[in-house]
Amino acid sequence: MPCLQKLSLHGNYQIFTGEEVGAATCLSELTLRGYCIDTDSFNKFLTRSSLKRISLLNCICCSLEVPLKSDSIKDLTLEPMTMCQKLLPVFPCLEKLDLQGMDKTDCHHTLLQICEYYPKLERLTLCVVPGQIGTMRPMPDSTDVTTKNPISLLKKLDKLNVLHITRIDLTGIDWTTCEGSNVNYIHLKGCSIDGTGAEKLVRTFKHLRRFYLDYCYLRQPRADLFDIDKSSTDGLHWLARYCKISYYDVHIEELREG
């Protein structure tokens, strides 16, 4: 298969070493589903390959202490993250990362690794498994600012410009800690976010040009700022006049009477 460029393999959790691919010297895209990856052997395969994109779907690693390593991978999809909850692959040239099926409790640890391992990252997707809601809520008892507010880690990724977040509770997040970020596109799906936080978000991300909220729960305080009908003179549309703000199938929390 020397001329093969794209390959998708489905397994039944048998060992995968990379030798199965053979001399696929032109292979640039590999998708593995349902394999147990022999980390050491697979790393040797990655070293001699020309892969640019890899998707690991329902895979597990034989070793949780030895990370996958490659200087050529630019696009990575992991689904779910059970194979790498302790250690993400070390791909220093990575530009696009899609983390599907994250555990609801690992957002802070995951973001720490992302900032350390992927300095060239341009596009990031964080998606918690269906049926669960992740959290990035502040931890006021912590002395570490990134633990208090994990989202602040995003400002360390100076090349990041696209951010997708799915099924994570963003209520109470202090977005001002992301001051200086170059993100210009944010898509929230199935998330909770309060009006005050959304106001801080659009004020903080100076380069933001598209802000999409799909299937989101828009909460108090200041849920009125979401101004879906664009009638408010102090809502998000007014605050971010150069940004396209779009809502789809959202629920707005009403003020409690009394």
Side-chain angles (χ1 to χ4, degrees):
M1 301 184 292
C3 297
L4 189 67
Q5 295 183 5
K6 296 183 180 181
L7 178 63
S8 180
L9 298 174
H10 291 229
N12 191 25
Y13 293 102
Q14 60 265 48
I15 300 293
F16 187 89
T17 65
E19 296 295 334
E20 297 84 350
V21 178
T25 55
C26 294
L27 189 66
S28 62
E29 183 175 333
L30 175 64
T31 298
L32 299 177
R33 182 184 294 274
Y35 280 95
C36 181
I37 297 174
D38 183 319
T39 312
D40 290 330
S41 298
F42 194 64
N43 277 338
K44 294 177 182 178
F45 163 73
L46 291 176
T47 299
R48 66 176 185 269
S49 75
S50 56
L51 281 175
K52 301 299 181 185
R53 180 178 183 181
I54 186 169
S55 298
L56 303 177
L57 313 177
N58 294 309
C59 292
I60 58 175
C61 283
C62 296
S63 173
L64 293 178
E65 297 180 356
V66 179
L68 298 178
K69 296 181 179 181
S70 171
D71 291 331
S72 65
I73 302 295
K74 294 186 176 182
D75 189 328
L76 170 65
T77 298
L78 292 176
E79 180 187 352
M81 279 190 60
T82 51
M83 63 155 290
C84 59
Q85 285 178 355
K86 293 184 178 180
L87 208 57
L88 286 174
V90 180
F91 297 159
C93 293
L94 197 69
E95 297 175 356
K96 181 180 179 182
L97 176 61
D98 188 348
L99 297 181
Q100 297 288 333
M102 291 173 55
D103 182 85
K104 65 180 181 179
T105 62
D106 67 358
C107 292
H108 176 250
H109 179 66
T110 300
L111 283 174
L112 280 173
Q113 292 186 73
I114 289 172
C115 292
E116 179 180 357
Y117 297 160
Y118 314 129
K120 298 182 180 181
L121 196 64
E122 298 177 3
R123 301 171 64 92
L124 173 61
T125 297
L126 301 174
C127 180
V128 170
V129 295
Q132 295 187 9
I133 298 295
T135 181
M136 289 190 188
R137 288 189 176 185
M139 300 174 63
D141 295 335
S142 174
T143 57
D144 182 355
V145 65
T146 64
T147 304
K148 287 182 179 180
N149 198 9
I151 203 72
S152 65
L153 290 164
L154 292 179
K155 67 180 179 182
K156 295 184 178 182
L157 299 169
D158 57 1
K159 297 184 181 298
L160 186 69
N161 53 62
V162 175
L163 178 62
H164 295 267
I165 300 178
T166 300
R167 288 188 291 274
I168 294 180
D169 184 3
L170 303 173
T171 306
I173 294 295
D174 182 6
W175 295 94
T176 61
T177 58
C178 296
E179 187 73 43
S181 171
N182 293 314
V183 170
N184 58 54
Y185 177 103
I186 295 178
H187 183 195
L188 306 182
K189 186 176 181 180
C191 297
S192 294
I193 184 171
D194 57 282
T196 302
E199 178 185 7
K200 291 180 179 179
L201 186 152
V202 299
R203 288 184 182 275
T204 298
F205 291 91
K206 306 297 185 184
H207 302 282
L208 191 63
R209 294 297 177 265
R210 288 180 291 172
F211 183 28
Y212 296 163
L213 301 96
D214 298 341
Y215 310 104
C216 289
Y217 187 33
L218 312 181
R219 307 188 65 173
Q220 301 290 351
R222 294 303 310 275
D224 58 292
L225 288 171
F226 292 105
D227 67 329
I228 293 177
D229 60 1
K230 301 182 182 180
S231 61
S232 174
T233 57
D234 64 349
L236 295 187
H237 286 96
W238 185 86
L239 292 171
R241 282 167 284 182
Y242 297 100
C243 176
K244 179 182 179 181
I245 301 176
S246 174
Y247 303 94
Y248 181 79
D249 199 9
V250 296
H251 174 76
I252 301 181
E253 182 180 32
E254 297 181 358
L255 286 171
R256 296 179 180 178
E257 296 182 359

